[in-house]
Amino acid sequence: MNSVLSRRALLAAAAAFGMLTVTAAPSSAADTIKVGTFLAVTGPASFLGDPELKTLQMYVDKINESGGVLGKKLELVHYDTAADPNKAVTFVKRLIDQDEVDVLLGGSASGETLAVMPMVEKAEIPYISFAGARKIVDPVQKWTFKTPHTDTMACQKIFEDMKKRGLTKIGMISGTDGFGASMQAECKSEAGKYGVDILVDETYGPKDTDMTAQLTKIKATAGVQAVLNPGFGQGPAIVTKNFKQLGLNVPLYQSHGVASKKFIELAGDAAEGVRLPAAALLVADKLPDSDVQKKVVTAYTAEFGGKYGAESVSTFGGHAYDGLMLIVDAYKRAGSTDKAKVRDALEATKGYVGTGGVVNFSATDHMGLDLSAFRMLEIRNGDWTLVN
Amino acid sequence: MLGEFLQYLFSGLTSGAIYALVGLGFALIYNASHVINFAQGEFVMLGGMGTVFIAAAGVPLPLAGLLAVLMATVVGFALEKLAVEQTRNASVVTLIIITIGASIFVRGGAQVAFDKQFHTLPSFSGDTPINILGATVTPQSLWVLGITVVIVLLLQYFFTRTLLGKAILATSHNPMAARLVGINVNAILLMSFGLSAALGAVAGILITPITSTNYEVGIMLGLKGFCAAILGGLGSGFGAIAGGVILGVAEALGAGYISSEYKDVIAFVIILAALFFMPSGLFGKRGTDRV
Amino acid sequence: MRSVLSSRWAGLLLLAVVIALLPLALKNNFQFDIAVRIGFNAIVVIGLNLLIGYAGQISLGHAGFLGLAAYFSAITVTRYGWPPLVSLLAAAALVGLLAFIIARPVLRLKGHYLAMATLGLGIIISIVLNQEAGLTGGPDGMAVDAFTIGSFKLVKAREWYWLVGALLWLAVWLSLNLIDSPVGRALRAVHGSEVAAEVVGVDTTRYKVMVFVISAVFASVVGSLQAHYVAFISPQQAGFFQSVEWVIMVVLGGMASTYGAVIGAAILTALPQVLTALEDYEHMIFGLIMMLVMILLPKGIVPSLGALLRRVSSKAEGGK
């Protein structure tokens, strides 16, 4: 009996593999360029992955309608990592070995990007990440590029602004997710350079429901002139509300992790007066006409907002837009789908105007943005305003 | 100093009341069926997200809330009727896996039917904080605390004074005997799933103005509610409330006085310590093993 | 007795044949990757099945054990240059010791309370791994050096396949032997009725502790290997979802069935890869499949199908 059982069991195992083999996609036809992407479409970072995927799908369709790239259609292959690096590794293996993609985009979070980078380097495929951490491009890896600003730059932009306002003694409250923890560490190491003292350093879990305890501690710390909250998701909205509830009357700084209208909606009145560094995309309509980014950010806002609602326009979708357009631009300049040539063309990108800023890649810089790409914004009357 | 302590306490009570409401849902279903319903957090999500989306369709807010509670109740009925009732003789672990499957299913459905963004609802009576001895509390927190107390009193009345409530209790003690005295055990089970779903949905609506909501919010709330129910002692409604409040207050005091990094660890250590000395939770029934 | 023995060897032989022949059906690195991950999960689940299926004790914290071992190996090998095999053994010894120490107080608890306690322990471990960024790299995780034995470096999924395949076979063999030993009989007694078992003189606690430690060591070995295989670790691997997933594998495959554990691991590891084609509906369908399997086959896939088979064959015999 037992043996019959186990035989059946093993047959079932073989069948499971059979299913896997059947679903194996045929290798890419010569008249398409396969764009592989792995994003955190669900899970704790879904507010990154969701607009990123929607953006990619929307613009791949648009590009194909207008004739594709180098006369070839783009084919988007995408998988949902739920922000788990372990899953990302398997999916990138699938993209490389089974789907045989020509180029890789994505990794919504830093962890998943860092996990797959060694594999991508070995496979020698041009790769653009949408994640923030500085470690992704420092030191520079041959095949890996990224579109968002680093958290280090966000810290610098914030400290610059604080210094201008004469705020040098601050409190920090950071999320313990990858984004919050990474930015917390970067800000702590940057603070000294701007003469900023961090008097109190608190954290909260990304799914916590109340942060008044931590903020009370900050409130009780004598001499705190401003508070900085690195974090993403709903956490910063709760921090902002609790901040107001406790009557903390010092300036509150948020990070680029909350850069969508959604934040203002969630935090409501409490968001008034909050400052944060963000890409020009958020203030598309308020940019002077002379601004080089005006055209591209207005177009993206109109197209994405038109399809998914104005409040869902975020800089995260913008990172995906920049990634796709950078790679398309590289294909056009390379005039070929040869991976090495595309990579070289990508590295030679100069003066590309995207939603995140003006991108100049080089052999030593695979992010290509400087601090000018960040704008300091303040929330007034439920809307973003530019601070100079 | 007193102001700070009170603030930590209020913070803890707010979170604690949220955990308690979710924990109460676990207790209700456990009472009737001895099933731990890991889809309890999804009812909370359905309450909040349902209200947001029904209101967005143009329905007035109070009515939208009511409809969302009804929707969650229907899902609760369906879970009992289509899944739990079909596997009556299965082991408890099998039933638990079914509820985990249900929670993945409901979450997956919500992701398609609603969206993946965060949403919020306006507070019931404004956002002006109330000052008490140097600490502040928002009106919405008071709503959460107040309604938790009302629900506890109602349940207390229901289980000790009404025939239906007593029937549920009888079923939980001995389903066979309950059936023999003419209690329709299936109907009781259906009731308890519906009631618990409705309760979860109400909790979801109450807390959305404080925490905001999205399709995945049920995971963490479900986990905390489970902790509350276990700490208090399974099957004890009062225990679930006490467990939730202790958990919330421990987290807040831990974050305030010890370390915000390790506040969740502090909470879990307290739970482990409590279970070590009281293996059936604070107010659980001391079980004797049958041979 | 003899027939039981021989059928055990028939099963093991068949498993060996499947492991040996499967590579013929695998086309690329990705498919080998899935096979390797099935192997990893299956080994953990076989250990967990001993605990859940035979000793009747649930654990929602085993990912904590895996995480501890994975980080121990990662840190000692990558930062301090320990030989990977030494790290793996040291990690297994440490995790085994930890499991032994916590087993007695934890296993006094029953049912849902035990689930809560193990869940709490697992979460505490994952929070520590997440917070101690200086040591662990924090939520962004850390890179791990390749697994080497002497001068031989294990990198490709194809190479890993044979190591993991051999270990899987070994795990099944160990598990089957344990179940057929006096220990296994004592365990079944514990599962049936602990009080009754104690009355007839079985030291139930000792056996429960023993199985708890064995299952923790299985998870530990997989943790160390997986860290090297993936070449990257993050706190998610120690998270409570992972623990829950393994319990689902145990129950879905069939409690108290070693091959059920393997089947459960295979299905739940491969299924998400198949379901990606459903896009947005992926999670919904996954949940639905889970519910349907448990409703239709409440004892799990292997035992339920086995019972069905038995019924069919006895009917056929009756017809003769």
Side-chain angles (χ1 to χ4, degrees):
Chain A
M1 189 59 237
N2 248 337
S3 73
V4 177
L5 243 180
S6 49
R7 201 171 301 143
R8 266 198 85 89
L10 293 163
L11 281 176
F17 272 105
M19 278 199 300
L20 215 65
T21 322
V22 172
T23 53
S27 59
S28 68
D31 56 344
T32 60
I33 294 174
K34 273 200 167 186
V35 179
T37 186
F38 56 106
L39 300 165
V41 180
T42 62
S46 61
F47 59 93
L48 300 176
D50 189 45
E52 284 164 356
L53 179 61
K54 283 177 178 161
T55 301
L56 289 180
Q57 286 170 329
M58 190 171 137
Y59 282 95
V60 162
D61 287 348
K62 232 171 119 74
I63 291 168
N64 285 340
E65 273 162 30
S66 55
V69 178
L70 302 179
K72 296 169 194 284
K73 296 258 186 255
L74 296 182
E75 185 190 339
L76 189 69
V77 188
H78 67 92
Y79 298 113
D80 172 17
T81 62
D84 181 347
N86 213 5
K87 280 190 189 152
V89 167
T90 294
F91 282 129
V92 169
K93 277 196 180 125
R94 186 169 176 177
L95 287 167
I96 293 175
D97 298 318
Q98 180 134 319
D99 302 321
E100 298 177 354
V101 297
D102 296 294
V103 52
L104 276 167
L105 298 177
S108 305
S110 298
E112 45 185 10
T113 296
L114 293 166
V116 306
M117 275 169 59
M119 236 158 39
V120 175
E121 293 297 323
K122 209 180 292 165
E124 308 197 322
I125 292 179
Y127 169 44
I128 302 181
S129 164
F130 306 153
R134 201 191 46 186
K135 280 182 274 183
I136 297 167
V137 288
D138 180 19
V140 166
Q141 303 290 324
K142 190 175 175 196
W143 296 86
T144 306
F145 297 78
K146 79 186 207 69
T147 50
H149 324 82
T150 63
D151 32 24
T152 322
M153 292 164 69
C155 298
Q156 291 167 346
K157 189 77 186 174
I158 290 167
F159 290 147
E160 237 175 42
D161 192 63
M162 285 179 174
K163 228 173 112 183
K164 242 189 271 173
R165 297 166 89 184
L167 311 166
T168 55
K169 296 191 170 10
I170 68 160
M172 279 181 68
I173 173 165
S174 317
T176 52
D177 49 77
F179 179 90
S182 167
M183 182 161 166
Q184 178 193 20
E186 294 296 333
C187 284
K188 279 162 86 173
S189 75
E190 288 296 312
K193 293 177 199 159
Y194 291 84
V196 171
D197 275 336
I198 298 165
L199 301 182
V200 49
D201 184 22
E202 294 292 315
T203 63
Y204 58 85
K207 292 195 171 161
D208 282 0
T209 50
D210 186 289
M211 286 70 153
T212 46
Q214 291 92 324
L215 289 168
T216 300
K217 234 169 139 182
I218 293 178
K219 192 183 176 190
T221 309
V224 170
Q225 295 169 319
V227 176
L228 168 58
N229 175 205
F232 62 13
Q234 87 279 36
I238 299 177
V239 168
T240 307
K241 284 201 264 189
N242 291 164
F243 195 85
K244 169 108 182 286
Q245 175 202 333
L246 291 176
L248 269 140
N249 47 9
V250 295
L252 173 63
Y253 284 83
Q254 288 290 349
S255 70
H256 54 312
V258 301
S260 87
K261 264 277 170 63
K262 210 73 220 177
F263 170 72
I264 302 181
E265 184 192 320
L266 293 179
D269 290 345
E272 286 298 305
V274 168
R275 288 196 176 188
L276 73 153
L281 180 58
L282 286 190
V283 283
D285 51 333
K286 297 185 184 62
L287 291 175
D289 288 339
S290 58
D291 197 298
V292 284
Q293 283 181 267
K294 175 93 182 178
K295 208 176 114 202
V296 57
V297 293
T298 328
Y300 175 78
T301 308
E303 280 160 4
F304 192 85
K307 189 159 177 193
Y308 297 106
E311 85 287 347
S312 59
V313 174
S314 67
T315 54
F316 319 124
H319 300 321
Y321 173 88
D322 289 350
L324 182 65
M325 293 307 162
L326 279 165
I327 207 75
V328 166
D329 179 56
Y331 269 106
K332 284 180 183 156
R333 279 185 291 112
S336 137
T337 56
D338 180 72
K339 293 188 181 77
K341 283 186 186 147
V342 173
R343 190 215 77 94
D344 292 345
L346 193 59
E347 194 170 71
T349 301
K350 288 280 175 287
Y352 162 81
V353 182
T355 64
V358 180
V359 180
N360 295 299
F361 285 141
S362 73
T364 53
D365 184 1
H366 278 192
M367 176 182 62
L369 295 169
D370 58 29
L371 263 191
S372 69
F374 262 139
R375 318 288 167 116
M376 186 50 73
L377 309 183
E378 188 175 304
I379 298 166
R380 283 183 208 148
N381 304 321
D383 200 1
W384 314 107
T385 45
L386 272 162
V387 179
N388 293 315
Chain B
M1 278 321 280
L2 177 69
E4 274 164 48
F5 175 74
L6 275 181
Q7 192 63 61
Y8 297 147
L9 201 63
F10 290 157
S11 168
L13 284 175
T14 306
S15 308
I18 295 172
Y19 303 159
L21 275 178
V22 186
L24 209 50
F26 277 98
L28 271 182
I29 288 184
Y30 181 83
N31 246 341
S33 65
H34 285 213
V35 172
I36 289 284
N37 172 27
F38 276 103
Q40 188 62 31
E42 308 317 317
F43 296 141
V44 182
M45 180 272 292
L46 285 176
M49 287 294 270
T51 308
V52 168
F53 275 80
I54 295 171
V59 179
L61 212 47
L63 187 59
L66 200 65
L67 287 174
V69 173
L70 274 178
M71 178 179 77
T73 311
V74 170
V75 174
F77 283 151
L79 175 60
E80 200 281 333
K81 201 82 203 158
L82 302 178
V84 176
E85 203 175 305
Q86 306 300 322
T87 43
R88 233 10 187 336
N89 300 319
S91 69
V92 172
V93 189
T94 302
L95 286 169
I96 288 179
I97 303 295
I98 288 177
T99 64
I100 293 178
S103 79
I104 297 175
F105 177 73
V106 171
R107 217 180 303 139
Q111 159 193 350
V112 180
F114 305 134
D115 63 12
K116 298 190 199 102
Q117 306 240 20
F118 281 98
H119 297 278
T120 190
L121 290 168
S123 301
F124 293 6
S125 50
D127 287 315
T128 318
I130 298 157
N131 218 313
I132 303 167
L133 297 173
T136 55
V137 59
T138 58
Q140 192 65 28
S141 298
L142 294 180
W143 274 104
V144 174
L145 289 169
I147 293 188
T148 305
V149 170
V150 169
I151 287 177
V152 172
L153 291 177
L154 280 179
L155 286 178
Q156 183 72 19
Y157 178 82
F158 176 70
F159 280 120
T160 53
R161 295 274 182 272
T162 67
L163 200 59
L164 190 57
K166 287 179 187 169
I168 293 183
L169 280 187
T171 310
S172 101
H173 288 309
N174 191 337
M176 183 64 104
R179 196 167 286 148
L180 286 177
V181 297
I183 296 173
N184 182 344
V185 173
N186 275 344
I188 294 290
L189 271 182
L190 195 63
M191 264 290 304
S192 63
F193 268 82
L195 194 62
S196 158
L199 187 66
V202 169
I205 298 169
L206 276 174
I207 65 174
T208 298
I210 300 178
T211 63
S212 57
T213 186
N214 85 340
Y215 78 106
E216 278 186 325
V217 83
I219 301 176
M220 190 47 70
L221 289 172
L223 182 66
K224 292 280 168 96
F226 174 62
C227 295
I230 293 277
L231 177 61
L234 270 173
S236 158
F238 179 69
I241 300 290
V245 170
I246 292 173
L247 203 60
V249 171
E251 282 177 14
L253 292 180
Y257 290 118
I258 306 172
S259 149
S260 52
E261 274 94 349
Y262 283 106
K263 68 181 170 53
D264 288 323
V265 171
I266 295 164
F268 279 114
V269 168
I270 289 175
I271 294 176
L272 288 175
L275 290 181
F276 186 72
F277 293 107
M278 310 173 92
S280 305
L282 300 176
F283 301 96
K285 283 164 238 130
R286 304 282 172 278
T288 42
D289 283 356
R290 249 172 292 182
V291 180
Chain C
M1 193 64 221
R2 168 164 296 178
S3 78
V4 172
L5 263 181
S6 63
S7 73
R8 182 185 348 152
W9 281 106
L12 280 166
L13 189 69
L14 198 64
L15 178 66
V17 170
V18 169
I19 292 174
L21 294 183
L22 191 62
L24 297 176
L26 299 179
K27 288 202 196 68
N28 56 41
N29 208 13
F30 158 67
Q31 291 175 358
F32 272 97
D33 178 70
I34 296 297
V36 169
R37 282 172 192 271
I38 287 175
F40 279 143
N41 281 332
I43 295 170
V44 178
V45 174
I46 287 169
L48 209 53
N49 178 51
L50 289 172
L51 185 68
I52 300 176
Y54 288 96
Q57 311 296 312
I58 200 164
S59 166
L60 291 178
H62 267 54
F65 293 132
L66 176 132
L68 274 185
Y71 273 95
F72 183 87
S73 277
I75 292 167
T76 52
V77 173
T78 310
R79 300 247 171 87
Y80 302 107
W82 288 26
L85 202 57
V86 174
S87 287
L88 179 142
L89 294 173
L94 278 175
V95 168
L97 185 67
L98 176 73
F100 180 73
I101 293 168
I102 59 176
R104 271 172 196 270
V106 166
L107 291 175
R108 283 188 347 153
L109 301 171
K110 299 204 164 42
H112 303 306
Y113 296 97
L114 177 63
M116 175 72 247
T118 48
L119 176 76
L121 286 168
I123 291 181
I124 289 174
I125 292 174
S126 77
I127 292 177
V128 173
L129 294 176
N130 200 50
Q131 295 291 357
E132 295 306 313
L135 202 60
T136 64
D140 276 349
M142 71 180 278
V144 187
D145 285 351
F147 192 78
T148 50
I149 305 171
S151 61
F152 184 68
K153 198 167 168 184
L154 216 56
V155 180
K156 292 199 181 87
R158 274 165 218 273
E159 298 159 0
W160 275 95
Y161 176 85
W162 295 111
L163 176 65
V164 175
L167 285 176
L168 174 62
W169 190 88
L170 201 65
V172 171
W173 179 78
L174 272 174
S175 168
L176 291 177
N177 268 324
L178 194 76
I179 293 160
D180 266 346
S181 71
V183 177
R185 281 194 288 280
L187 282 176
R188 279 195 289 275
V190 172
H191 196 177
S193 165
E194 215 171 312
V195 177
E198 254 163 24
V199 168
V200 298
V202 179
D203 182 357
T204 57
T205 314
R206 208 187 73 155
Y207 289 114
K208 285 197 287 183
V209 170
M210 191 172 136
V211 176
F212 190 73
V213 172
I214 291 175
S215 64
V217 170
F218 273 35
S220 160
V221 171
V222 169
S224 294
L225 290 173
Q226 195 171 276
H228 291 293
Y229 170 69
V230 180
F232 192 87
I233 44 171
S234 63
Q236 274 107 325
Q237 274 157 278
F240 115 92
F241 288 115
Q242 180 67 76
S243 296
V244 172
E245 212 171 293
W246 286 329
V247 175
I248 297 174
M249 288 175 187
V250 170
V251 181
L252 204 73
M255 281 194 285
S257 158
T258 302
Y259 290 108
V262 180
I263 297 296
I267 291 177
L268 276 166
T269 311
L271 192 60
Q273 295 292 334
V274 177
L275 293 182
T276 53
L278 297 169
E279 308 249 329
D280 280 350
Y281 295 92
E282 177 188 339
H283 300 278
M284 223 172 127
I285 302 298
F286 184 80
L288 194 63
I289 291 176
M290 245 174 84
M291 288 170 75
L292 283 178
V293 171
M294 293 321 305
I295 291 170
L296 299 175
L297 308 169
K299 287 192 175 359
I301 293 171
V302 171
S304 292
L305 287 182
L308 195 73
L309 219 66
R310 241 189 318 265
R311 242 190 331 232
V312 171
S313 67
S314 70
K315 212 177 269 171
E317 269 163 39
K320 273 178 213 165

